[in-house]
Amino acid sequence: MANSRKEIAPIVLRAAESILRKYVSLAPSIDKVETRLIARRVSESAWQHHEELVLGVLGFHTLAIGTSADPEIGEFEAIVREHQPELVGYIEVDGGLHEICTGERLIRLWLSQLVANRTVEEIGQIDVADFLRSASATFGSRSTRFVVRSPLVGLILPDGVDELQVASGVRIFRLNLVEQSRTMSDDWSKSSPVELHQWIECALEIEFLHTFEFHAEQVAVPSHSLRQQARAVRQVVLDTLHVLAPGHVRSKHSETHLLPGTLPHLGARGREWSFESSRYRPLTLTSNDIPKVVQLFGAIQSAKPPALDRIRRACRRLRFAEGRSDTEDAFLDSMIGAELLLGGPIFKFSLNYAAIAPSEGLKRWEQAHALYSKRNALAHGSHKAEIGETEATAARGLLRDVLLKLLGPEGGEHQTMLSGHNYWQSLFPAGRIDVHGLA
């Protein structure tokens, strides 16, 4: 059964504080062979990156080895098992049950959160007592913030905009130089910091309020995953950005945290790498785009069947098309996405594109007809299919235009016709488009 104690017992806190203070004081003397990029102010308005030694994985392992033979650790475990056994039992978090096992492991988890990947200067500023007070308060509330952060490669916010609140618990924010340094120094591919700095200036943060529980014994827990929910939200945000403007944005990786980071978070902490390859073509938002992001995100999130599936798949095709380095692939991705929304064959595809903006019906029909003809030639292996950047750009523009019409403030009328792709039938009787000669 779950323990109902409100906070960590004072006797447990005192024992933990004594041990953690000892090992934190030892940390600066451990050989440091790993580096991290640190942003240092060199003047009132200027910063520079410096590589500084930190207590990385190897250094922390050296420090933690001492805990295995420390008699004080054994005394701590005895105190915990007597006064608060769930702390060496199981933590239920994000739909999983994770074993903490021993007092030694608990101390290592806390010690890792205090000193790992920190410089000597940062270790010297650690307040162990304050850390444990925060741990106790979080333990008592059984509530934490489940946060997923994803640095975004290629997104450029307009000047003067440091944060964009997309929805409740979903925001895009500009990274400061310290955060950029950490993002770059953690890059698995060891890319040039200068190259990364040019393309990573923002991050996406998705936050859920999460309730966790400790158990002294193993129990069955309901299955759910906040990380899966966060991945779904992230895809909608990326789709929103690509519908709104040309260019390509991708998530570099996703870091998952339980905040404040004062309790064992075996099931939540971690990093998922994105191995999506793409060309670097930044997506630049303007100040006029900012309110549209909120509207488009809401429209994609609230789309209902049968429109929902086709809209999501078309958005994904547009995102793929923006990231393609091969123009034929980009063209085909765009046309597949457009055909999901407009239907086929060529006559219906062209008429539907004309019908969603009837005042420009003939011009739109000609544009769609020409692109679909190239699509047919390419798909059937015709030697006449010459697809260059002009055609790929036009196809992306056509798909983006359709999505903006469907997801705009007046898009509901068009979405109701998605199931049959019959926009044009409703327009002929009213004479809203001139169809003479279109066949």
Side-chain angles (χ1 to χ4, degrees), residues 93-160:
V93 59
D94 192 25
L97 194 67
H98 308 275
E99 193 172 9
I100 304 172
C101 296
T102 65
E104 179 189 345
R105 189 172 184 186
L106 179 60
I107 288 294
R108 286 192 180 196
L109 286 165
W110 275 337
L111 187 60
S112 171
Q113 292 162 35
L114 284 167
V115 302
N117 201 34
R118 296 184 187 275
T119 64
V120 170
E121 179 183 344
E122 291 168 335
I123 292 172
Q125 297 172 355
I126 291 170
D127 187 333
V128 175
D130 184 63
F131 174 87
L132 289 173
R133 280 192 296 270
S134 178
S136 183
T138 305
F139 177 81
S141 69
R142 298 295 201 274
S143 180
T144 186
R145 292 160 51 217
F146 189 100
V147 178
V148 181
R149 290 178 181 153
S150 304
L152 298 177
V153 181
L155 179 63
I156 300 177
L157 290 175
D159 291 341

Side-chain angles (χ1 to χ4, degrees), residues 42-56:
V42 294
S43 69
E44 187 165 336
S45 59
W47 293 68
Q48 284 185 355
H49 290 109
H50 297 273
E51 277 197 348
E52 297 192 14
L53 293 173
V54 297
L55 188 71

Side-chain angles (χ1 to χ4, degrees), residues 12 15-16 19 72-80 103 106-107 110:
V12 174
I19 296 170
E72 195 174 357
I73 297 287
E75 295 170 7
F76 171 73
E77 179 156 349
I79 291 171
V80 173
L106 179 60
I107 288 294
W110 275 337

Side-chain angles (χ1 to χ4, degrees), residues 153-166:
V153 181
L155 179 63
I156 300 177
L157 290 175
D159 291 341
V161 176
D162 292 327
E163 181 173 326
L164 169 54
Q165 195 71 38
V166 180

Side-chain angles (χ1 to χ4, degrees), residues 39 173-184:
F173 63 98
R174 192 186 301 275
L175 295 168
N176 61 38
L177 197 56
V178 175
E179 291 165 332
Q180 282 184 322
S181 296
R182 289 174 179 168
T183 297
M184 291 185 288

Side-chain angles (χ1 to χ4, degrees), residues 135-425:
S136 183
T138 305
F139 177 81
S141 69
R142 298 295 201 274
S143 180
T144 186
R145 292 160 51 217
F146 189 100
V147 178
V148 181
R149 290 178 181 153
S150 304
L152 298 177
V153 181
L155 179 63
I156 300 177
L157 290 175
D159 291 341
V161 176
D162 292 327
E163 181 173 326
L164 169 54
Q165 195 71 38
V166 180
S168 177
V170 182
R171 71 183 183 113
I172 296 171
F173 63 98
R174 192 186 301 275
L175 295 168
N176 61 38
L177 197 56
V178 175
E179 291 165 332
Q180 282 184 322
S181 296
R182 289 174 179 168
T183 297
M184 291 185 288
S185 62
D186 289 342
D187 181 45
W188 69 275
S189 67
K190 306 300 183 185
S191 298
S192 162
V194 175
E195 175 189 355
L196 285 169
H197 183 272
Q198 292 174 343
W199 298 105
I200 302 179
E201 69 169 45
C202 305
L204 170 65
E205 183 177 273
I206 301 166
E207 179 177 321
F208 304 94
L209 185 63
H210 183 56
T211 301
F212 64 91
E213 192 54 85
F214 286 102
H215 301 272
E217 300 175 351
Q218 191 167 7
V219 296
V221 298
S223 177
H224 68 278
S225 175
L226 293 177
R227 277 169 290 190
Q228 290 178 355
Q229 294 180 45
R231 280 194 291 270
V233 172
R234 183 170 66 244
Q235 293 309 312
V236 176
V237 171
L238 292 174
D239 288 343
T240 297
L241 294 171
H242 288 95
V243 170
L244 188 59
H248 189 254
V249 177
R250 66 177 177 88
S251 165
K252 176 176 176 282
H253 61 252
S254 294
E255 296 178 345
T256 309
H257 305 273
L258 291 183
L259 299 176
T262 53
L263 284 175
H265 40 266
L266 310 178
R269 187 182 185 184
R271 173 172 292 183
E272 296 178 1
W273 291 102
S274 170
F275 293 98
E276 175 187 350
S277 61
S278 65
R279 59 178 180 172
Y280 285 114
R281 203 164 68 91
L283 190 155
T284 304
L285 296 180
T286 67
S287 56
N288 292 332
D289 292 328
I290 299 303
K292 296 177 185 177
V293 172
V294 179
Q295 185 272 319
L296 276 173
F297 178 85
I300 296 174
Q301 282 280 69
S302 60
K304 300 291 190 293
L308 174 63
D309 181 59
R310 285 179 176 161
I311 286 175
R312 291 282 179 90
R313 288 160 63 194
C315 287
R316 187 170 67 249
R317 285 291 178 176
L318 178 56
R319 183 157 47 89
F320 291 165
E322 287 288 4
R324 299 285 194 189
S325 57
D326 184 274
T327 54
E328 286 190 0
D329 290 342
F331 177 83
L332 285 174
D333 270 327
S334 299
M335 295 304 293
I336 290 170
E339 194 167 356
L340 280 166
L341 304 175
L342 298 174
I346 187 169
F347 180 71
K348 180 185 282 190
F349 180 92
S350 305
L351 276 178
N352 280 333
Y353 186 61
I356 57 177
S359 62
E360 301 176 338
L362 182 57
K363 177 181 177 182
R364 293 169 68 85
W365 184 90
E366 291 172 342
Q367 180 187 0
H369 195 280
L371 288 174
Y372 202 94
S373 296
K374 288 185 177 292
R375 172 258 185 218
N376 283 345
L378 181 61
H380 297 296
S382 171
H383 68 279
K384 296 181 180 179
E386 295 181 2
I387 305 298
E389 186 59 40
T390 299
E391 289 77 13
T393 300
R396 286 193 295 262
L398 183 146
L399 175 53
R400 178 172 289 109
D401 180 54
V402 176
L403 283 166
L404 285 171
K405 292 289 193 301
L406 290 172
L407 297 167
E410 300 178 359
E413 173 189 352
H414 299 302
Q415 287 189 30
T416 59
M417 291 183 272
L418 266 179
S419 58
H421 298 123
N422 291 327
Y423 306 95
W424 60 277
Q425 288 182 350

